[in-house]
Amino acid sequence: MEYNFNEIEKKWQQYWIDNKTYKVTINPEKPKFYVLDMFPYPSGAGLHVGHPLGYIASDIFSRYKRLNGFNVLHPMGYDAYGLPAEQYAIQTGQHPAITTENNIARYRGQMDKIGFSYDWDREVKTCEPDYYHWTQWAFIKMFEHYFDNDAKKALPITELVAHFEKKGTEGINPAQSEELSFTAKEWNSKSEKDKLITLLNYRLAYLADTMVNWCPALGTVLANDEVKDGVSLRGGHPVEQKLMRQWLLRVSAYADRLLEGLDTIDWSDSLKEIQRNWIGRSEGAEMVFKVKDSELEMKIFTTRADTIFGVTFMVLAPESELVQKLSKPEQLKEVEDYLEQTKKRTERERQTEVKKVSGVFTGSYAINPLSKEEIPIWVSDYVLAGYGTGAIMAVPAHDSRDFAFARAFNLPIPQVVVPKGQEPGDTSTWSDSIDSKEGTLINSGFLNGLSVPEAIEKTQQYISEKGIGKIKVNYRLRDAIFSRQRYWGEPFPVYYKDGIPYMLNEDELPLELPEVDKYLPTEKGEPPLARAKNWHTKEGYPLEVNTMPGFAGSSAYYLRYMDPKNNKELVSKEANSYWKDVDLYIGGTEHATGHLLYSRFWNKFLYDLGKVCKDEPFKKLVNQGMIQGRSNFVYRINGTNKFVSFNLKDQYDTMEIHVDVNIVHNDMLDIEAFRAWNPEYHDAEFILENGKYICGWAIEKMSKSMFNVVNPDTIVEEYGADTLRLYEMFLGPLEQSKPWDTNGIDGVHKFLRKVWRLFFDRDGKLIMSDEKASAEEFKVLHRTIKKTVDDIERFSFNTAVSSFMICINDLNSLACNKREILEPLLVIMAPFAPHITEELWQNLGHSQSICDAQWPEFNPDYMVESVVQYPVSFNGKMRFKLELPADINTKEIEAAVLKDEQAIKWTEGKEIKKIIIVPGKIINVVVA
RNA sequence: GCCCGGAUGGUGGAAUUGGUAGACACGCAGGACUUAAAAUCCUGUGGCCAUUGCGGCUGUGCGGGUUCAAUUCCCGCUCCGGGUACCA
């Protein structure tokens, strides 16, 4: 009987379903372990071999933990809302719910064939009302809370209101959009409407007019993490800045906690670094510059207060409100022209034309609070409205942007910092600003002679005392825009009364997504939901027509898995206090600044509410690398239908053509399949080398257009799921990106057949012996157990697979068929190749699934050696090996080496200076 | 520009704490079995030199350094990948 993977895999996949092998429930008797995969967006293309890489790794870890006595939560679901389904709906008129459901079914089918140990009873789909009920619920809660900077947590907005009623804004420190200050009397005299408008300034979910990334092609706004290089991440469409009234989440309030939390979690350094950069904390000072002959003031943020004597002009962002106020009548026309001109530039142009200096003088002057000098105020788009205060003090000598600007407009460039070991220079000869992070202050009044850090300290002290400014921390992280002008997303639980937003009652949730006649904006340009009939409350108030963005549904899904059927709350106390947090999260780095930041924010908010018991949701995170495509090429001789093999192509004038990698094996073209692949090639002729047609290859992105997409189904059919699992792991380190290359897959498949033959003879008879195993056999087994444990624990699955190969090769040469050895071996291989091990396990007479077997304990006694093969080196170069008893001491080893014949040959005529002996490891003889 | 990774045979990769570089696998070459093929098994396989035997030299992107000993640590570069950017 041969290893019939098709039959075996089908059999066990059915067995696992029938026996609910992977169903998991709360069990206080056992320690919990939560292994999570980033759930997929079910696209129309189905899974390709890159997707399961992380799933296989997490599955191995889950099974490993289960065999070690843990109660393992290992769920899967779908991030089902999203743009592609809607785009498709627009084109075809098909309801996105239907295409999404179809795609999910396809994904599920593909995943089932790989033999994952998911508890499918816990499946979630973000587009189902039972699920988004809790997305909407969380939104209402955010609306009803504000962030208290002193308590460093979210508190009910009612507490803020109570404070306002008694003391106004006095003595309270809330996170806010705009710094407001009013007395209790002022608050109490506000109208109800005014109060509600004012409160939006504090709510964690709030409505505001903000500059948004508007993507005309997608007809929606996008969050910062959905935009890259001025184009949408999805589709690559241009994005422009637009002022719109939008829902936002006050993520910035949690900036400090998001930053500090990174120190407590086990994520890769690079990922933590990406998040740190994205949060972008910078300490500095906020300073006030008075405007000459005016009551107005300019507020700026700087990290380099020490360079204030080097300021020769001020710059406002074009979007700043001060621009209008500060522009003198004689300059107004010019300023307005400039604003018009910058408005026209898209974000993309603004970024690509970084070097192009532009700006306009307002006609106003500011007064340097320290030097009392009058300095001109300019407007330029190199200053961003969204960061700091939207205004800067320009220090041209020590900032390259300010330098370029000063040069372009002939503004003075005084040097104020001299780098260590240098003399003050003539700035008119400079081609760029000079670095000023270290050095000594000059031309700076009372700061002269101080070092940079001393000067920063002294200036900050001075401006605080004089009330010119204050020390301030700024963040790059901005609040997340939460509205999308699209159909296929969660509806907001919001209605409007007199233009003011109100939340639905919790008992009215979920607010289900309505049907619409078309998935397009209305004539008036309103989002698709405005087409829905009866889209208002019982009382007739209109409901919100925006929907939530993609990251809404993925921000708390890991909590829902703990208690997926609960219709009273997101997750019960009981379930949350048992499962707590995700112990291992595996997914791609592409979510570093989106999902992984938002869900940490979302979780921290729920933590503040007391709904979850952990401040950080994902204890350990591992990024799997991307699987790239490996394309194959054929070479057609120009003007013919003749194809020449790779190594002969230089002799002809050829054209490189992509060929479907599925009809190429080990770079060898299946000529018949090629002829059938495309009618154009039906009569193709070939120039072969050694009777074969060899294809060229290249590493490219896996995509349909390059014909290099490989589906897991194809591999499963040809080699089986166990081979696919082993091979994806064997390909290399999990975290590394690598091309999919099937050239080595025969090796792992051959390995599984060897395993099979250890159990069955040629006639399919089980050859299992109950004889006592030899010391040698035990040594092989226990060496493998130890290696496997070490490798799994450090996510080095590729070396674990090779240790299995070594083990099987060794047992083969020992002709070992002893139950004592093979049974534990099956258990340690089970996480990697669950089907074949189940089958063999059953053949050994077990009636229970191998999933519930016990992990064999490593016994070091079997590893003890009586002799050591010492490598003997001379001056660090290994020359020969010397077998010595393991229990002799250093002196004895030295003596043994010195009298060894080969050692004598190497030391002949030379002086032995030293002999280094690391017992059990190495001997190194140092000779002159 | 800045930050973070990485570079090892023809290929994917291994070497976990500074201690035998190239495990394991693919590919290739040769051989066994076979009428033949497939499957399977055996041998060899970093490079150069010597191959009549032992063997010798060299080698982990490049150039230095530390050390008895460096793929591993330090300094300086080159190239590749990722993140990020008029962030004041």
Side-chain angles (χ1 to χ4, degrees):
Chain A
M1 188 171 66
E2 266 297 296
Y3 165 45
N4 186 340
F5 53 85
N6 270 320
E7 207 172 281
I8 292 168
E9 292 179 358
K10 218 184 276 163
K11 167 182 161 186
W12 287 101
Q13 284 165 10
Q14 194 54 48
Y15 174 95
W16 295 328
I17 294 169
D18 294 344
N19 291 276
K20 293 230 172 251
T21 307
Y22 304 123
K23 188 173 175 59
V24 61
T25 51
I26 292 174
N27 178 359
E29 310 279 294
K30 280 186 174 182
K32 71 97 185 186
F33 201 89
Y34 187 175
V35 180
L36 182 66
D37 292 297
M38 287 186 185
F39 64 170
Y41 172 77
S43 80
L47 292 172
H48 66 64
V49 288
H51 296 106
L53 181 72
Y55 303 162
I56 293 167
S58 67
D59 198 59
I60 290 169
F61 208 83
S62 301
R63 290 169 180 273
Y64 163 73
K65 279 291 178 184
R66 176 169 175 173
L67 288 166
N68 278 282
F70 287 85
N71 193 27
V72 178
L73 177 58
H74 187 40
M76 183 45 98
Y78 305 94
D79 186 14
Y81 273 135
L83 284 178
E86 189 169 344
Q87 296 291 74
Y88 189 73
I90 290 167
Q91 286 162 24
T92 63
Q94 241 196 99
H95 198 288
I98 295 168
T99 48
T100 303
E101 208 43 59
N102 290 343
N103 291 347
I104 286 176
R106 168 108 192 266
Y107 269 56
R108 177 65 193 275
Q110 288 182 299
M111 285 196 268
D112 282 345
K113 282 190 198 155
I114 304 173
F116 293 127
S117 62
Y118 296 125
D119 176 0
W120 284 107
D121 289 349
R122 290 176 182 266
E123 178 189 76
V124 302
K125 298 172 188 166
T126 56
C127 65
E128 285 191 340
D130 282 350
Y131 180 85
Y132 65 67
H133 183 157
W134 304 106
T135 312
Q136 294 173 335
W137 168 83
F139 179 80
I140 292 177
K141 289 293 163 199
M142 288 179 196
F143 183 79
E144 291 171 346
H145 285 78
Y146 77 104
F147 190 86
D148 187 299
N149 285 327
D150 293 332
K152 291 192 173 178
K153 63 181 286 198
L155 293 173
I157 198 94
T158 49
E159 288 184 21
L160 186 68
V161 172
H163 186 98
F164 286 164
E165 284 167 357
K166 274 187 231 126
K167 294 176 180 158
T169 49
E170 174 94 36
I172 193 153
N173 184 13
Q176 50 195 322
S177 307
E178 215 182 315
E179 217 174 306
L180 298 181
S181 116
F182 47 77
T183 62
K185 207 175 151 196
E186 283 167 330
W187 170 261
N188 290 323
S189 65
K190 276 181 197 276
S191 69
E192 207 48 40
K193 187 176 169 180
D194 270 355
K195 281 183 185 168
L196 288 173
I197 291 171
T198 307
L199 285 179
L200 288 174
N201 193 51
Y202 305 97
R203 297 182 190 274
L204 283 174
Y206 64 99
L207 196 60
D209 292 313
T210 41
M211 274 298 170
V212 296
N213 307 300
W214 171 254
C215 179
L218 293 173
T220 188
V221 305
L222 297 169
N224 290 329
D225 65 279
E226 293 169 315
V227 181
K228 216 196 144 197
D229 298 330
V231 298
S232 68
L233 209 60
R234 199 154 239 172
H237 307 293
V239 168
E240 53 194 53
Q241 297 301 296
K242 198 172 165 181
L243 193 70
M244 280 177 79
R245 195 161 177 76
Q246 300 287 303
W247 283 103
L248 291 106
L249 300 187
R250 205 177 296 284
V251 180
S252 62
Y254 281 85
D256 246 334
R257 273 173 62 187
L258 288 169
L259 200 59
E260 282 164 13
L262 290 174
D263 297 331
T264 68
I265 49 184
D266 185 7
W267 293 15
S268 73
D269 288 337
S270 77
L271 200 74
K272 287 185 184 184
E273 210 45 41
I274 291 171
Q275 290 220 339
R276 282 192 194 107
N277 291 340
W278 191 261
I279 294 166
R281 182 182 203 268
S282 66
E283 276 178 44
E286 199 169 78
M287 252 190 271
V288 177
F289 281 61
K290 288 216 158 63
V291 177
K292 188 191 164 198
D293 301 329
S294 164
E295 290 303 299
L296 294 167
E297 290 176 343
M298 267 185 83
K299 217 184 244 177
I300 59 100
F301 174 76
T302 179
T303 53
R304 293 298 304 275
D306 60 308
T307 58
I308 187 147
F309 286 91
V311 177
T312 52
F313 58 101
M314 308 291 283
V315 188
L316 290 169
E319 296 86 354
S320 169
E321 320 178 326
L322 282 175
V323 174
Q324 293 295 331
K325 297 177 188 165
L326 291 178
S327 296
K328 290 275 152 105
E330 65 273 18
Q331 291 296 112
L332 201 57
K333 171 96 183 49
E334 216 178 309
V335 170
E336 274 169 359
D337 286 350
Y338 182 69
L339 294 188
E340 199 50 45
Q341 184 195 321
T342 53
K343 216 182 214 166
K344 273 198 225 131
R345 294 172 78 195
T346 63
E347 187 75 351
R348 167 113 226 171
E349 286 162 346
R350 207 167 146 163
Q351 284 187 8
T352 47
E353 295 168 12
V354 162
K355 290 280 167 312
K356 221 161 121 187
V357 180
S358 70
V360 64
F361 178 47
T362 60
S364 291
Y365 290 84
I367 297 167
N368 187 323
L370 268 77
S371 70
K372 306 296 178 204
E373 268 178 291
E374 287 177 15
I375 47 182
I377 302 172
W378 287 68
V379 180
S380 174
D381 64 1
Y382 84 86
V383 175
L384 302 177
Y387 183 78
T389 60
I392 59 149
M393 61 177 213
V395 185
H398 305 292
D399 180 287
S400 61
R401 298 152 302 176
D402 297 344
F403 184 90
F405 195 85
R407 268 288 150 79
F409 294 100
N410 268 320
L411 295 157
I413 307 176
Q415 183 176 9
V416 288
V417 179
V418 183
K420 238 190 215 135
Q422 287 182 27
E423 292 296 311
D426 175 6
T427 60
S428 67
T429 64
W430 293 1
S431 60
D432 200 353
S433 61
I434 63 156
D435 182 66
S436 60
K437 287 194 191 78
E438 281 171 7
T440 310
L441 276 286
I442 54 162
N443 301 329
S444 294
F446 69 98
L447 299 174
N448 281 341
L450 295 178
S451 73
V452 168
E454 287 166 350
I456 290 177
E457 173 84 42
K458 192 156 182 181
T459 324
Q460 290 191 344
Q461 203 185 329
Y462 181 86
I463 60 170
S464 307
E465 277 167 16
K466 300 272 171 177
I468 303 163
K470 61 180 183 195
I471 291 163
K472 189 165 175 189
V473 177
N474 231 320
Y475 297 94
R476 200 180 82 92
L477 181 71
R478 285 184 246 171
D479 290 345
I481 297 159
F482 204 60
S483 304
R484 295 294 178 273
Q485 293 68 43
R486 302 289 300 204
Y487 173 71
W488 192 231
E490 299 86 349
F492 282 86
V494 172
Y495 65 94
Y496 291 88
K497 210 155 72 177
D498 197 13
I500 303 292
Y502 292 85
M503 294 296 123
L504 295 177
N505 284 322
E506 281 180 39
D507 60 16
E508 292 173 277
L509 300 183
L511 173 65
E512 294 198 22
L513 186 67
E515 294 302 320
V516 291
D517 57 343
K518 267 194 247 173
Y519 308 102
L520 290 169
T522 63
E523 309 288 303
K524 282 188 280 176
E526 289 170 299
L529 284 200
R531 293 174 175 275
K533 290 203 181 89
N534 302 320
W535 193 237
H536 51 68
T537 63
K538 295 190 286 288
E539 299 80 13
Y541 295 115
L543 289 162
E544 168 71 62
V545 292
N546 285 293
T547 53
M548 296 186 193
F551 66 84
S554 57
S555 288
Y557 76 111
Y558 54 91
L559 293 168
R560 191 61 181 167
Y561 282 138
M562 296 175 183
D563 197 6
K565 303 279 195 294
N566 193 330
N567 57 11
K568 296 198 177 59
E569 51 190 331
L570 168 65
V571 55
S572 71
K573 267 253 139 59
E574 190 206 5
N576 182 253
S577 59
Y578 180 71
W579 297 113
K580 291 188 175 72
D581 53 3
V582 175
D583 295 281
L584 173 65
Y585 196 16
I586 297 189
T589 5
E590 65 271 23
H591 298 110
T593 51
H595 162 63
L596 286 174
L597 202 65
Y598 295 127
S599 53
R600 289 181 63 222
F601 155 76
W602 204 284
N603 190 82
K604 282 175 189 297
F605 171 68
L606 295 176
Y607 174 78
D608 288 352
L609 260 54
K611 290 286 170 190
V612 303
C613 64
K614 291 283 185 174
D615 184 39
E616 285 289 342
F618 314 120
K619 210 185 284 175
K620 182 174 177 69
L621 184 132
V622 174
N623 290 120
Q624 91 268 20
M626 279 232 300
I627 299 250
Q628 296 143 308
R630 187 179 188 277
S631 309
N632 276 117
F633 302 106
V634 290
Y635 303 89
R636 185 171 61 194
I637 300 172
N638 286 335
T640 70
N641 204 11
K642 208 173 207 175
F643 294 83
V644 56
S645 188
F646 180 73
N647 293 300
L648 305 172
K649 72 174 165 42
D650 294 341
Q651 302 167 23
Y652 302 86
D653 180 19
T654 61
M655 185 178 158
E656 190 177 75
I657 299 170
H658 273 95
V659 61
D660 188 345
V661 294
N662 293 293
I663 57 170
V664 177
H665 300 278
N666 291 343
D667 291 334
M668 214 158 60
L669 183 68
D670 178 338
I671 289 174
E672 284 319 304
F674 180 70
R675 286 196 164 116
W677 179 52
N678 188 332
E680 197 185 324
Y681 306 137
H682 186 262
D683 303 314
E685 293 172 73
F686 301 89
I687 299 174
L688 307 178
E689 49 183 310
N690 306 324
K692 300 165 188 167
Y693 189 95
I694 307 296
C695 297
W697 58 272
I699 304 305
E700 298 171 304
K701 208 182 119 136
M702 202 175 267
S703 97
K704 267 186 182 168
S705 62
M706 315 230 190
F707 300 107
N708 60 6
V709 176
V710 183
N711 287 110
D713 318 53
T714 323
I715 306 292
V716 168
E717 261 166 54
E718 199 172 339
Y719 296 96
D722 285 337
T723 298
L724 173 74
R725 293 171 62 106
L726 281 173
Y727 187 58
E728 292 227 4
M729 294 299 102
F730 189 64
L731 220 44
L734 181 61
E735 307 202 22
Q736 207 169 294
S737 282
K738 55 229 153 187
W740 177 260
D741 178 353
T742 46
N743 283 353
I745 201 165
D746 290 324
V748 272
H749 190 66
K750 214 187 282 178
F751 157 73
L752 287 176
R753 285 207 301 263
K754 279 190 203 166
V755 172
W756 187 262
R757 280 203 310 276
L758 223 42
F759 290 78
F760 294 101
D761 65 14
R762 277 177 190 280
D763 307 319
K765 225 179 94 209
L766 189 69
I767 39 164
M768 189 48 47
S769 148
D770 286 320
E771 242 178 277
K772 182 89 194 137
S774 70
E776 186 65 19
E777 289 165 338
F778 272 119
K779 198 165 104 187
V780 169
L781 172 68
H782 282 264
R783 190 178 60 207
T784 310
I785 294 172
K786 176 155 191 357
K787 178 86 175 129
T788 307
V789 172
D790 289 353
D791 287 351
I792 293 177
E793 294 281 354
R794 67 191 175 102
F795 302 95
S796 178
F797 301 110
N798 56 329
T799 52
V801 174
S802 72
S803 77
F804 292 144
M805 290 175 169
I806 295 167
C807 177
I808 294 297
N809 288 347
D810 288 349
L811 293 180
N812 242 325
S813 29
L814 291 168
C816 171
N817 59 346
K818 314 246 172 78
R819 178 183 287 272
E820 255 184 326
I821 301 298
L822 296 182
E823 262 192 3
L825 184 63
L826 282 181
V827 177
I828 63 170
M829 280 178 14
F832 293 79
H835 308 86
I836 189 175
T837 49
E838 282 275 28
E839 180 68 17
L840 294 171
W841 186 249
Q842 190 187 50
N843 270 287
L844 291 185
H846 295 277
S847 53
Q848 279 225 319
S849 165
I850 196 167
C851 295
D852 293 309
Q854 214 192 332
W855 191 267
E857 204 184 325
F858 167 66
N859 184 349
D861 295 349
Y862 290 114
M863 306 295 288
V864 176
E865 300 263 10
S866 58
V867 291
V868 179
Q869 283 275 342
Y870 276 101
V872 183
S873 309
F874 293 82
N875 291 343
K877 279 201 181 87
M878 206 283 286
R879 294 303 180 182
F880 61 91
K881 282 173 194 162
L882 186 60
E883 190 176 281
L884 293 170
D887 54 359
I888 60 172
N889 65 31
T890 316
K891 266 218 171 92
E892 290 166 310
I893 293 170
E894 191 173 318
V897 170
L898 288 176
K899 68 170 200 262
D900 184 85
E901 243 177 75
Q902 294 182 84
I904 291 163
K905 189 189 111 189
W906 280 98
T907 52
E908 218 168 20
K910 289 170 190 150
E911 183 200 347
I912 297 175
K913 290 179 120 174
K914 211 197 282 184
I915 299 182
I916 296 187
I917 292 162
V918 184
K921 275 260 155 102
I922 196 173
I923 297 162
N924 187 20
V925 183
V926 186
V927 293

